[in-house]
Amino acid sequence: MIPGQLVPLIKTAHAATLVEMLKHFEADIYPLLKAAGLPDDIMRTRHEFLPETPVKHLLALMAERADPQYYGDLLRTANREYFIPKMLRHLRSPETLGEAIEQMKTAVRHESPSATISIEYFNHTPWFCRFKDKEDTEEFLWAEIFAVLFLIEFIRLLSKTDWQPTCIAIQSKKADKLAEILNNPKTVLYANRNLAAIELSSELMALPLHLPASFTSQVSREDDPKALNFLETVYLALAPYLSRQSLSLQQAAEILNTSARTLQRRLAEENTSFKNVRDNIMLATACQLMENGQYSLTDIASELGYADIAHFSRAFKKLTGFPPKDYRKRFLAKA
């Protein structure tokens, strides 16, 4: 983990869409969710974000089980029907495809805070670029393939054409799996590059654009989303795993794609510890649930992974000085 580096996050709703894809070729999805490192309750979790690492694991595990062409078709469909429409709702009435791509830089940060996309010019030719810290893993490769397919489908959808890129560059060392999914011998692939990029053209960038009405007023028009610091991303990434009360430092480090030693050092630099992080996540979640009258204390204890309400009450009192039932009474009295 690089000093100052944030924990890459992805919205839980997006990860749930990939889990729905998994159901197309896996009868029992839970062993694969466990193997990927995703929470069992991902389809009903209340948490907005998940760490990116287990989601990348899931993409790679699904690739092992599916026919490449079939898997590619599923990824394209997910992009067209779910991921791209989510992004389009952040755009501000762009007049050209080039403007839409420029606005996507902010839209992507709303939906996936760790992602970086841009338009770069090489020899006066525009390229649609995506940069991530490079890893020599199958997980990185499949996350990159997913991103490339997203960029292609984004352009095809907005241009209303069957456009195919002339050249594609990827950071991964091999491009054979991407070539198999694209199945287009006219597209030249370059592997082991500094970033992933798709060659565009000035004509394509200047293409007039009229977004459907359904994509013009769905969300408030925010500027860049609120910047998160390292500690905030750690909390967001680990919160969905709260039901694992036995979650160890080593397990947390694996979820965050780092080593236990590095995680300890980075938390110490923030004047905290893994135990404090875990306790604070439990406390914040417990308080949030208690402020919702539909949950009993027994429900909350179970939701947080405690064996019974007595264990939960002792843990809560140790952190706050008073039992959970008193917190609930105080909150309800103020409401």
Side-chain angles (χ1 to χ4, degrees):
M1 186 177 289
I2 301 170
Q5 179 182 345
L6 305 184
V7 176
L9 301 170
I10 185 171
K11 282 202 170 180
T12 304
H14 301 343
T17 298
L18 297 177
V19 173
E20 288 292 344
M21 284 175 45
L22 176 60
K23 295 177 181 178
H24 284 269
F25 48 86
E26 199 76 15
D28 184 2
I29 65 173
Y30 292 102
L32 212 58
L33 293 183
K34 182 177 181 180
L38 287 165
D40 289 344
D41 63 350
I42 184 174
M43 303 304 286
R44 57 181 181 84
T45 183
R46 297 163 284 95
H47 301 287
E48 184 179 8
F49 290 102
L50 283 170
E52 188 181 82
T53 296
V55 179
K56 292 194 298 185
H57 288 164
L58 182 64
L59 280 172
L61 288 170
M62 287 194 291
E64 291 178 0
R65 287 159 169 75
D67 171 79
Q69 284 296 317
Y70 180 61
Y71 190 37
D73 288 341
L74 282 177
L75 292 176
R76 290 187 187 92
T77 299
N79 275 318
R80 284 195 305 268
E81 297 184 0
Y82 178 79
F83 292 103
I84 292 173
K86 284 285 185 183
M87 297 294 181
L88 293 181
R89 289 178 170 83
H90 290 284
L91 302 191
R92 300 180 175 184
S93 304
E95 295 183 358
T96 65
L97 181 56
E99 287 183 14
I101 294 173
E102 284 291 340
Q103 292 181 21
M104 278 291 290
K105 292 188 291 188
T106 300
V108 166
R109 285 194 291 272
H110 279 287
E111 300 296 327
S112 183
S114 62
T116 301
I117 64 171
S118 64
I119 295 293
E120 305 292 341
Y121 285 81
F122 303 98
N123 297 324
H124 307 291
T125 300
W127 289 69
F128 198 168
C129 302
R130 169 200 182 257
F131 176 80
K132 297 283 286 187
D133 291 328
K134 190 174 181 178
E135 301 171 14
D136 186 18
T137 64
E138 284 291 301
E139 288 79 10
F140 183 87
L141 168 63
W142 283 103
E144 191 167 38
I145 289 174
F146 178 86
V148 166
L149 293 177
F150 173 89
L151 300 182
I152 293 173
E153 292 302 319
F154 177 78
I155 294 171
R156 286 164 61 97
L157 181 65
L158 293 195
S159 66
K160 299 180 181 179
T161 67
D162 292 330
W163 176 85
Q164 290 290 350
T166 303
C167 298
I168 298 176
I170 61 173
Q171 292 178 268
S172 300
K173 291 183 177 180
K174 295 182 179 180
D176 54 322
K177 292 178 180 176
L178 175 58
E180 192 172 6
I181 285 178
L182 291 177
N183 193 27
N184 182 14
K186 293 183 179 180
T187 299
V188 179
L189 301 178
Y190 300 97
N192 202 25
R193 303 293 164 161
N194 292 328
L195 46 73
I198 296 176
E199 185 180 21
L200 306 176
S201 68
S202 298
E203 294 76 16
L204 193 65
M205 294 282 285
L207 195 67
L209 187 66
H210 300 285
L211 284 179
S214 58
F215 296 132
T216 58
S217 60
Q218 296 298 309
V219 297
S220 60
R221 296 298 189 244
E222 313 102 320
D223 292 320
D224 282 353
K226 174 183 175 292
L228 301 173
N229 61 39
F230 169 76
L231 198 54
E232 286 173 325
T233 60
V234 169
Y235 275 97
L236 288 171
L238 294 182
Y241 297 86
L242 185 63
S243 61
R244 293 164 58 181
Q245 283 298 313
S246 60
L247 185 70
S248 67
L249 174 66
Q250 181 61 45
Q251 290 170 325
E254 290 174 2
I255 291 169
L256 302 178
N257 196 30
T258 189
S259 68
R261 183 174 180 179
T262 299
L263 179 57
Q264 279 183 311
R265 176 177 57 78
R266 287 291 288 112
L267 291 175
E269 291 172 0
E270 300 287 339
N271 297 314
T272 190
S273 66
F274 173 66
K275 182 180 183 302
N276 285 341
V277 169
R278 186 171 57 189
D279 287 347
N280 285 335
I281 291 174
M282 186 281 290
L283 181 60
T285 307
C287 291
Q288 182 182 18
L289 291 173
M290 280 190 284
E291 290 164 11
N292 186 332
Q294 73 181 53
Y295 292 100
S296 69
L297 292 182
T298 300
D299 293 335
I300 295 170
S302 176
E303 179 78 12
L304 297 177
Y306 288 95
D308 52 44
I309 192 172
H311 284 83
F312 165 58
S313 295
R314 282 196 294 271
F316 189 89
K317 186 175 182 179
K318 184 177 180 181
L319 292 173
T320 65
F322 48 84
K325 63 180 181 180
D326 286 359
Y327 175 88
R328 170 163 270 180
K329 286 180 181 177
R330 293 182 187 184
F331 178 81
L332 292 177
K334 295 178 180 177

